[in-house]
Structures are given as structure tokens and as C-alpha cells.
Amino acid sequence: MELFHNPNIDWLGKKWYFLAFSLVFSIAGILSMAFWHHIPLGVDFKGGTQIRVDFNQSPNEDHIRHAMDVAGVRDVTIQRVSDPSGHAANKVIISLPESTATDTAHDAGREAVENALSANYHDSGFTIEQVQIVGPTAGKQLQEQAIQATLYSLLGMLIYLWFRFELIYGVAAVAAVFHDTLITIGAFSLTNKEITLTVIAAILTLIGYSMNDTIVVFDRIRENLALSRREPLADLVNRSINQTLSRTVISSGLTFLTVLCLYLFGGEVLNGFSFALVIGILIGTYSSIAVAAPMLVAYQEWRSKRGKTAVLPAAKRVRT
């Protein structure tokens, strides 16, 4: 099945537009992480107490915050929960910093919140649906493990592509995946969405998905190199991308529709996970064409200027 019959798009001719697009979103995410919202870590990583409360009537966030202040509960974050349709529900998430959830007495914050709500909402009624408590030590360990899992996955893919293709293939693919991860985390910072363990799982998923898309393009480039060694590499790369364009749009498009439905109708619990996949699928598909492939051509041009021949082997095809 082909959506496009013999497309002839000059992808590399638009590389400066792609570079500008990537720089704008990457820099915006970095600035947000550095100066604005920083990296909005969830309770899983920063430690603390998070209580999900369902009220019988529409709650007033300022009233809840005042009730916490009267009860002596400080530095509380009140977050209204939306239902899958996007409308505000009668639920809020009350988050307390890690100082109220130490390893030795992490129940104190939960009890203080329950007492404050009981004193102010005993008539209207409420139900505590979920209480999540993570000590600061466990949160730090989870942060380190999440970073290690991401870095190890990138290192493993670099080694694999170095072995199956050539080092420049691995460097280009890992650079593209790092670009995807940076923009995805930046999107969380810009929208002030919390990064939890499920979000890390989504990021690792999109790393694999984006890498698979990149390998498909690289595989076609290497296959065409075996047949057209004298063709300029820029033209060959353009032709390879166009030849795999239908496959890329069909597979990525169907995956995107699935995760978009998950984001729109999956509810609050899966919101962060599905949001990461929505951003990641779009950026991952884009980077396979606009980041990884142009790096191969840039490498060849750099070696040509130094009077060397680019090492882009045309070996046995990798089945994907």
C-alpha cells in the first residue's frame, strides 16, 4: 500500500527550515527548564504527599487553600482535575512538598490534610480516592534510575548501530533520539505537566519507536548506496527518504491516532503517558527525516572538505 506514488521532495533542500524548527522548540524547552517552570517532577521523583480528593460539589480552590493555611499545612499545591472531555471535574489533587513526607513520619501530611478537609467540608462531603507518599530518599533513587535507564538505552543503540552500520549512523540516530527526548521533556516543562514514572516509560517507548523509524531510512540509504555509488549522497538520501515515505506516514500515522485517542479519552491517570507519546511520535517521525538523515550528508561534506572519502558502507541489509 502506497499513499505517495514516486514522490520527489527535496528534503535536504529544506534542511535550514528543519534546523530552525528544531532550534526554536529545543531552546524554548531548555529556557523553560532553566528559568520558568523548570522540570516539573512528580511525587515519584521529588518526594512528598499527593492526595486525590473527590468532592460532592464543585470545589473552590481558594477555599481549600485557606483551609490548609488555617490548619497549619504550608506550601500546598492545589490542582483541579479535568475529566476526559476536558471539563473540570469535582476532583482536586493536593500536593505537599517532601518536607512533610520524610522517611520517618510521612503520614503527618496526609493526616493534616484529612483533618483540614473534615473540618471545612463535613457538610458538603468529600472522598479521598488516592494517597501517594514517596520519601525524599526513594525519590532521589528513582531520579537516578530513570536517568540511567534513558542513557543506557541510548548507549546500547549507539553500539548496535555502530556494529550493524557504521559509527556515523549510530551517532546520527542517537543525536536524533536525544533531540526527540529533549523536545518532549521541554513540552512537559512548557505546559507545566508533571513527569512521573509512567512518563519515563513513555519516553523509553518513543526512543525505541523513533530509532526504528530512523533505521528504516538508514537501511534504504545503505541499500541504494550499493546500487548507486556514484550518485551524489544528497540526491541518494532524498530518494531514500521518498521511497520510505509511504511506510513512514502509514505506520506513524496509525500509531499517532491510537495515542491521540488515549490522550483524549484515557483520563487523568494516563494523561502524562499519552501526552509524551503524542509529542514523541510526531517529533520522532520528523527527526528521522529532518535530523538523522541530514547529519549523514553533513558528515560526508565535512570529510570531503578534508580530502577524505566518507565511510558510508553498503553492506547486507538489516531486516526491520
mmCIF file with all atom_site columns, all heavy atoms in Angstrom, residues 177-191:
data_model
loop_
_atom_site.group_PDB
_atom_site.id
_atom_site.type_symbol
_atom_site.label_atom_id
_atom_site.label_alt_id
_atom_site.label_comp_id
_atom_site.label_asym_id
_atom_site.label_entity_id
_atom_site.label_seq_id
_atom_site.pdbx_PDB_ins_code
_atom_site.Cartn_x
_atom_site.Cartn_y
_atom_site.Cartn_z
_atom_site.occupancy
_atom_site.B_iso_or_equiv
_atom_site.pdbx_formal_charge
_atom_site.auth_seq_id
_atom_site.auth_comp_id
_atom_site.auth_asym_id
_atom_site.auth_atom_id
_atom_site.pdbx_PDB_model_num
ATOM 1   N N   . VAL A 1 177 ? 17.450 10.903 18.383 1.00 0.00 ? 177 VAL A N   1
ATOM 2   C CA  . VAL A 1 177 ? 16.632 10.454 19.508 1.00 0.00 ? 177 VAL A CA  1
ATOM 3   C C   . VAL A 1 177 ? 16.814 11.381 20.708 1.00 0.00 ? 177 VAL A C   1
ATOM 4   O O   . VAL A 1 177 ? 15.852 11.684 21.430 1.00 0.00 ? 177 VAL A O   1
ATOM 5   C CB  . VAL A 1 177 ? 16.995 8.998  19.867 1.00 0.00 ? 177 VAL A CB  1
ATOM 6   C CG1 . VAL A 1 177 ? 16.337 8.599  21.171 1.00 0.00 ? 177 VAL A CG1 1
ATOM 7   C CG2 . VAL A 1 177 ? 16.547 8.055  18.764 1.00 0.00 ? 177 VAL A CG2 1
ATOM 8   N N   . PHE A 1 178 ? 18.035 11.846 20.940 1.00 0.00 ? 178 PHE A N   1
ATOM 9   C CA  . PHE A 1 178 ? 18.258 12.816 22.020 1.00 0.00 ? 178 PHE A CA  1
ATOM 10  C C   . PHE A 1 178 ? 17.480 14.100 21.745 1.00 0.00 ? 178 PHE A C   1
ATOM 11  O O   . PHE A 1 178 ? 16.904 14.703 22.664 1.00 0.00 ? 178 PHE A O   1
ATOM 12  C CB  . PHE A 1 178 ? 19.750 13.120 22.146 1.00 0.00 ? 178 PHE A CB  1
ATOM 13  C CG  . PHE A 1 178 ? 20.071 14.102 23.239 1.00 0.00 ? 178 PHE A CG  1
ATOM 14  C CD1 . PHE A 1 178 ? 20.117 13.690 24.561 1.00 0.00 ? 178 PHE A CD1 1
ATOM 15  C CD2 . PHE A 1 178 ? 20.307 15.437 22.948 1.00 0.00 ? 178 PHE A CD2 1
ATOM 16  C CE1 . PHE A 1 178 ? 20.397 14.595 25.579 1.00 0.00 ? 178 PHE A CE1 1
ATOM 17  C CE2 . PHE A 1 178 ? 20.586 16.345 23.948 1.00 0.00 ? 178 PHE A CE2 1
ATOM 18  C CZ  . PHE A 1 178 ? 20.636 15.925 25.268 1.00 0.00 ? 178 PHE A CZ  1
ATOM 19  N N   . HIS A 1 179 ? 17.442 14.519 20.493 1.00 0.00 ? 179 HIS A N   1
ATOM 20  C CA  . HIS A 1 179 ? 16.647 15.683 20.077 1.00 0.00 ? 179 HIS A CA  1
ATOM 21  C C   . HIS A 1 179 ? 15.172 15.463 20.408 1.00 0.00 ? 179 HIS A C   1
ATOM 22  O O   . HIS A 1 179 ? 14.492 16.346 20.939 1.00 0.00 ? 179 HIS A O   1
ATOM 23  C CB  . HIS A 1 179 ? 16.873 15.880 18.580 1.00 0.00 ? 179 HIS A CB  1
ATOM 24  C CG  . HIS A 1 179 ? 15.834 16.689 17.866 1.00 0.00 ? 179 HIS A CG  1
ATOM 25  N ND1 . HIS A 1 179 ? 14.648 16.141 17.391 1.00 0.00 ? 179 HIS A ND1 1
ATOM 26  C CD2 . HIS A 1 179 ? 15.791 17.995 17.520 1.00 0.00 ? 179 HIS A CD2 1
ATOM 27  C CE1 . HIS A 1 179 ? 13.940 17.076 16.801 1.00 0.00 ? 179 HIS A CE1 1
ATOM 28  N NE2 . HIS A 1 179 ? 14.603 18.208 16.858 1.00 0.00 ? 179 HIS A NE2 1
ATOM 29  N N   . ASP A 1 180 ? 14.661 14.252 20.137 1.00 0.00 ? 180 ASP A N   1
ATOM 30  C CA  . ASP A 1 180 ? 13.257 13.931 20.440 1.00 0.00 ? 180 ASP A CA  1
ATOM 31  C C   . ASP A 1 180 ? 12.988 13.996 21.934 1.00 0.00 ? 180 ASP A C   1
ATOM 32  O O   . ASP A 1 180 ? 11.972 14.554 22.380 1.00 0.00 ? 180 ASP A O   1
ATOM 33  C CB  . ASP A 1 180 ? 12.916 12.529 19.928 1.00 0.00 ? 180 ASP A CB  1
ATOM 34  C CG  . ASP A 1 180 ? 13.189 12.363 18.449 1.00 0.00 ? 180 ASP A CG  1
ATOM 35  O OD1 . ASP A 1 180 ? 13.260 13.394 17.748 1.00 0.00 ? 180 ASP A OD1 1
ATOM 36  O OD2 . ASP A 1 180 ? 13.339 11.218 18.002 1.00 0.00 ? 180 ASP A OD2 1
ATOM 37  N N   . THR A 1 181 ? 13.902 13.409 22.712 1.00 0.00 ? 181 THR A N   1
ATOM 38  C CA  . THR A 1 181 ? 13.726 13.392 24.169 1.00 0.00 ? 181 THR A CA  1
ATOM 39  C C   . THR A 1 181 ? 13.756 14.797 24.744 1.00 0.00 ? 181 THR A C   1
ATOM 40  O O   . THR A 1 181 ? 12.947 15.151 25.610 1.00 0.00 ? 181 THR A O   1
ATOM 41  C CB  . THR A 1 181 ? 14.828 12.526 24.811 1.00 0.00 ? 181 THR A CB  1
ATOM 42  O OG1 . THR A 1 181 ? 14.824 11.225 24.226 1.00 0.00 ? 181 THR A OG1 1
ATOM 43  C CG2 . THR A 1 181 ? 14.616 12.404 26.312 1.00 0.00 ? 181 THR A CG2 1
ATOM 44  N N   . LEU A 1 182 ? 14.689 15.613 24.263 1.00 0.00 ? 182 LEU A N   1
ATOM 45  C CA  . LEU A 1 182 ? 14.805 16.983 24.757 1.00 0.00 ? 182 LEU A CA  1
ATOM 46  C C   . LEU A 1 182 ? 13.536 17.779 24.478 1.00 0.00 ? 182 LEU A C   1
ATOM 47  O O   . LEU A 1 182 ? 13.021 18.484 25.360 1.00 0.00 ? 182 LEU A O   1
ATOM 48  C CB  . LEU A 1 182 ? 16.007 17.660 24.092 1.00 0.00 ? 182 LEU A CB  1
ATOM 49  C CG  . LEU A 1 182 ? 16.240 19.138 24.442 1.00 0.00 ? 182 LEU A CG  1
ATOM 50  C CD1 . LEU A 1 182 ? 16.519 19.291 25.936 1.00 0.00 ? 182 LEU A CD1 1
ATOM 51  C CD2 . LEU A 1 182 ? 17.390 19.713 23.629 1.00 0.00 ? 182 LEU A CD2 1
ATOM 52  N N   . ILE A 1 183 ? 12.994 17.670 23.272 1.00 0.00 ? 183 ILE A N   1
ATOM 53  C CA  . ILE A 1 183 ? 11.786 18.426 22.924 1.00 0.00 ? 183 ILE A CA  1
ATOM 54  C C   . ILE A 1 183 ? 10.582 17.905 23.712 1.00 0.00 ? 183 ILE A C   1
ATOM 55  O O   . ILE A 1 183 ? 9.726  18.686 24.152 1.00 0.00 ? 183 ILE A O   1
ATOM 56  C CB  . ILE A 1 183 ? 11.537 18.358 21.406 1.00 0.00 ? 183 ILE A CB  1
ATOM 57  C CG1 . ILE A 1 183 ? 12.593 19.166 20.674 1.00 0.00 ? 183 ILE A CG1 1
ATOM 58  C CG2 . ILE A 1 183 ? 10.139 18.870 21.061 1.00 0.00 ? 183 ILE A CG2 1
ATOM 59  C CD1 . ILE A 1 183 ? 12.415 19.234 19.173 1.00 0.00 ? 183 ILE A CD1 1
ATOM 60  N N   . THR A 1 184 ? 10.512 16.591 23.925 1.00 0.00 ? 184 THR A N   1
ATOM 61  C CA  . THR A 1 184 ? 9.389  16.031 24.682 1.00 0.00 ? 184 THR A CA  1
ATOM 62  C C   . THR A 1 184 ? 9.415  16.515 26.130 1.00 0.00 ? 184 THR A C   1
ATOM 63  O O   . THR A 1 184 ? 8.391  16.956 26.673 1.00 0.00 ? 184 THR A O   1
ATOM 64  C CB  . THR A 1 184 ? 9.428  14.498 24.643 1.00 0.00 ? 184 THR A CB  1
ATOM 65  O OG1 . THR A 1 184 ? 9.384  14.058 23.283 1.00 0.00 ? 184 THR A OG1 1
ATOM 66  C CG2 . THR A 1 184 ? 8.238  13.910 25.392 1.00 0.00 ? 184 THR A CG2 1
ATOM 67  N N   . ILE A 1 185 ? 10.582 16.452 26.772 1.00 0.00 ? 185 ILE A N   1
ATOM 68  C CA  . ILE A 1 185 ? 10.690 16.939 28.150 1.00 0.00 ? 185 ILE A CA  1
ATOM 69  C C   . ILE A 1 185 ? 10.445 18.443 28.192 1.00 0.00 ? 185 ILE A C   1
ATOM 70  O O   . ILE A 1 185 ? 9.806  18.957 29.124 1.00 0.00 ? 185 ILE A O   1
ATOM 71  C CB  . ILE A 1 185 ? 12.066 16.587 28.736 1.00 0.00 ? 185 ILE A CB  1
ATOM 72  C CG1 . ILE A 1 185 ? 12.223 15.066 28.832 1.00 0.00 ? 185 ILE A CG1 1
ATOM 73  C CG2 . ILE A 1 185 ? 12.256 17.220 30.114 1.00 0.00 ? 185 ILE A CG2 1
ATOM 74  C CD1 . ILE A 1 185 ? 13.580 14.617 29.319 1.00 0.00 ? 185 ILE A CD1 1
ATOM 75  N N   . GLY A 1 186 ? 10.922 19.164 27.176 1.00 0.00 ? 186 GLY A N   1
ATOM 76  C CA  . GLY A 1 186 ? 10.658 20.601 27.104 1.00 0.00 ? 186 GLY A CA  1
ATOM 77  C C   . GLY A 1 186 ? 9.175  20.908 26.998 1.00 0.00 ? 186 GLY A C   1
ATOM 78  O O   . GLY A 1 186 ? 8.690  21.889 27.568 1.00 0.00 ? 186 GLY A O   1
ATOM 79  N N   . ALA A 1 187 ? 8.438  20.047 26.271 1.00 0.00 ? 187 ALA A N   1
ATOM 80  C CA  . ALA A 1 187 ? 6.984  20.232 26.157 1.00 0.00 ? 187 ALA A CA  1
ATOM 81  C C   . ALA A 1 187 ? 6.315  20.063 27.516 1.00 0.00 ? 187 ALA A C   1
ATOM 82  O O   . ALA A 1 187 ? 5.371  20.789 27.848 1.00 0.00 ? 187 ALA A O   1
ATOM 83  C CB  . ALA A 1 187 ? 6.407  19.243 25.153 1.00 0.00 ? 187 ALA A CB  1
ATOM 84  N N   . PHE A 1 188 ? 6.803  19.127 28.323 1.00 0.00 ? 188 PHE A N   1
ATOM 85  C CA  . PHE A 1 188 ? 6.261  18.967 29.673 1.00 0.00 ? 188 PHE A CA  1
ATOM 86  C C   . PHE A 1 188 ? 6.550  20.197 30.516 1.00 0.00 ? 188 PHE A C   1
ATOM 87  O O   . PHE A 1 188 ? 5.704  20.643 31.297 1.00 0.00 ? 188 PHE A O   1
ATOM 88  C CB  . PHE A 1 188 ? 6.861  17.719 30.338 1.00 0.00 ? 188 PHE A CB  1
ATOM 89  C CG  . PHE A 1 188 ? 6.102  16.461 30.054 1.00 0.00 ? 188 PHE A CG  1
ATOM 90  C CD1 . PHE A 1 188 ? 6.329  15.748 28.886 1.00 0.00 ? 188 PHE A CD1 1
ATOM 91  C CD2 . PHE A 1 188 ? 5.148  15.988 30.933 1.00 0.00 ? 188 PHE A CD2 1
ATOM 92  C CE1 . PHE A 1 188 ? 5.624  14.588 28.603 1.00 0.00 ? 188 PHE A CE1 1
ATOM 93  C CE2 . PHE A 1 188 ? 4.433  14.829 30.673 1.00 0.00 ? 188 PHE A CE2 1
ATOM 94  C CZ  . PHE A 1 188 ? 4.676  14.130 29.500 1.00 0.00 ? 188 PHE A CZ  1
ATOM 95  N N   . SER A 1 189 ? 7.740  20.750 30.369 1.00 0.00 ? 189 SER A N   1
ATOM 96  C CA  . SER A 1 189 ? 8.077  21.946 31.133 1.00 0.00 ? 189 SER A CA  1
ATOM 97  C C   . SER A 1 189 ? 7.252  23.146 30.687 1.00 0.00 ? 189 SER A C   1
ATOM 98  O O   . SER A 1 189 ? 6.750  23.909 31.512 1.00 0.00 ? 189 SER A O   1
ATOM 99  C CB  . SER A 1 189 ? 9.572  22.250 30.987 1.00 0.00 ? 189 SER A CB  1
ATOM 100 O OG  . SER A 1 189 ? 9.941  23.393 31.728 1.00 0.00 ? 189 SER A OG  1
ATOM 101 N N   . LEU A 1 190 ? 7.093  23.315 29.377 1.00 0.00 ? 190 LEU A N   1
ATOM 102 C CA  . LEU A 1 190 ? 6.333  24.457 28.859 1.00 0.00 ? 190 LEU A CA  1
ATOM 103 C C   . LEU A 1 190 ? 4.866  24.396 29.266 1.00 0.00 ? 190 LEU A C   1
ATOM 104 O O   . LEU A 1 190 ? 4.240  25.425 29.534 1.00 0.00 ? 190 LEU A O   1
ATOM 105 C CB  . LEU A 1 190 ? 6.449  24.506 27.332 1.00 0.00 ? 190 LEU A CB  1
ATOM 106 C CG  . LEU A 1 190 ? 7.806  24.949 26.779 1.00 0.00 ? 190 LEU A CG  1
ATOM 107 C CD1 . LEU A 1 190 ? 7.886  24.683 25.282 1.00 0.00 ? 190 LEU A CD1 1
ATOM 108 C CD2 . LEU A 1 190 ? 8.045  26.433 27.066 1.00 0.00 ? 190 LEU A CD2 1
ATOM 109 N N   . THR A 1 191 ? 4.296  23.195 29.303 1.00 0.00 ? 191 THR A N   1
ATOM 110 C CA  . THR A 1 191 ? 2.886  23.034 29.690 1.00 0.00 ? 191 THR A CA  1
ATOM 111 C C   . THR A 1 191 ? 2.721  22.774 31.187 1.00 0.00 ? 191 THR A C   1
ATOM 112 O O   . THR A 1 191 ? 1.599  22.620 31.659 1.00 0.00 ? 191 THR A O   1
ATOM 113 C CB  . THR A 1 191 ? 2.257  21.868 28.901 1.00 0.00 ? 191 THR A CB  1
ATOM 114 O OG1 . THR A 1 191 ? 3.018  20.671 29.128 1.00 0.00 ? 191 THR A OG1 1
ATOM 115 C CG2 . THR A 1 191 ? 2.234  22.175 27.419 1.00 0.00 ? 191 THR A CG2 1
#
